[in-house]
Amino acid sequence: MNALIKAVALRVPADTGLIEITEAAPSLFAGLSRGALGATGEAIIQRVEKADLLVVGTPVYRASYTGALKHLFDLVDYRALAGKTVLLAATGGSPYHGLVLEHQLRPLFGFFGAVTVPIGVYGSPDDFIGAEIVGAAITDRISRAAIEAVSLLNSSHANTAVAARVG
């Protein structure tokens, strides 16, 4: 995740942040609905909803994204991500789960009306030594994904500006 965020930030001036679900879980799991969340949980949801670009990554668990990630997006207003750019990423124990990007994450953000970056980033154990990225293919994919994400983001902002001038 950090490599993707850095790759995007190199290409566009941005105020970046990382929401670690494992750290946010106590605040997010404090309620089953948004109204039951405390101030910290609500602030996390608002950060997601207000972001211009989301980089969403998850470990693959049983051929899907984690329940914690699902819970986070269950709390996000279904209209809040319409037209927003989303870069998808996942890691798994083998290359066989790489389709999680296409069959699990992309439909999730399609529901929200978000614009997903056509190229996603999937990493398997061969791409890492510890937490360090070592695979040339994944490094190239991170770079290409960041370029496409920034291009979509810039296009989205240009379209919004045109719509504002016309409207």
Side-chain angles (χ1 to χ4, degrees), residues 7 21-22 35 60 76 105 116-117 123 126 136 149-150 160 165:
I21 295 288
T22 55
V60 175
V76 170
L105 288 172
T116 54
V117 177
D126 292 342
V150 170
T160 301
R165 284 195 305 268

Side-chain angles (χ1 to χ4, degrees), residues 6-26:
K6 286 179 188 175
V8 169
L10 285 173
R11 291 162 174 83
V12 64
D15 178 20
T16 62
L18 180 65
I19 298 171
E20 288 281 356
I21 295 288
T22 55
E23 295 170 12

